[in-house]
Amino acid sequence: QVQLVESGGGLVQPGGSLRLSCQASGFDFRFYGMSWVRQAPGRELEWVSNIDFSGVSTDYADSVKGRFTISRDNAKTMVYLQMNSLKPEDSAVYYCAKFHTPYRVPTRSIDEYNARGKGTRVTVSS
């Protein structure tokens, strides 16, 4: 079955960097767009970034544009999120998510992702 396992979270000071990783298995990864979404305590799930199946097309929420970079390695079935210039408001549990339809460019709508991992916690604090 579909399995998504995130790693790389931790405690970092404001202005610092982290690189999140997501190992995918149980489906033909190279054909599906992927996203990173996050959930801060007491808040709803928030879409952060997505990447299409080929890795050519990417999209970012305004709140992270210019600071975060999404990438993927289809040979390793991995998707990454490089996070720079981190702010306290970036603190959240970060999840990778699989888009429901192969080949299509993924959207910003969290409802269109049909699998999500257990997440990795990011805390930005001094």
Side-chain angles (χ1 to χ4, degrees):
Q1 73 272 19
V2 173
Q3 195 166 16
L4 300 168
V5 180
E6 302 92 342
S7 61
L11 173 64
V12 62
Q13 292 188 342
S17 297
L18 281 175
R19 188 195 194 206
L20 305 185
S21 299
C22 172
Q23 177 74 67
S25 62
F27 65 104
D28 206 333
F29 178 80
R30 58 192 167 145
F31 296 144
Y32 287 86
M34 300 291 293
S35 266
W36 286 94
V37 300
R38 66 186 181 186
Q39 188 165 28
R43 304 195 66 173
E44 292 186 355
L45 208 57
E46 175 191 16
W47 171 80
V48 175
S49 177
N50 66 35
I51 187 167
D52 77 331
F53 67 94
S54 69
V56 171
S57 173
T58 60
D59 192 16
Y60 299 92
D62 288 344
S63 58
V64 308
K65 197 172 294 183
R67 301 187 297 122
F68 289 12
T69 302
I70 191 171
S71 61
R72 66 189 293 158
D73 185 333
N74 284 349
K76 295 181 179 179
T77 68
M78 296 284 292
V79 61
Y80 306 98
L81 187 68
Q82 177 67 44
M83 306 187 296
N84 299 329
S85 303
L86 281 162
K87 305 175 181 180
E89 51 264 42
D90 294 318
S91 297
V93 177
Y94 283 73
Y95 305 89
C96 67
K98 167 188 166 290
F99 195 62
H100 64 79
T101 304
Y103 303 112
R104 276 187 53 192
V105 175
T107 69
R108 297 183 172 198
S109 173
I110 293 175
D111 291 342
E112 294 192 74
Y113 294 82
N114 60 1
R116 198 163 71 227
K118 293 184 178 180
T120 185
R121 183 175 299 278
V122 172
T123 303
V124 184
S125 174
S126 54

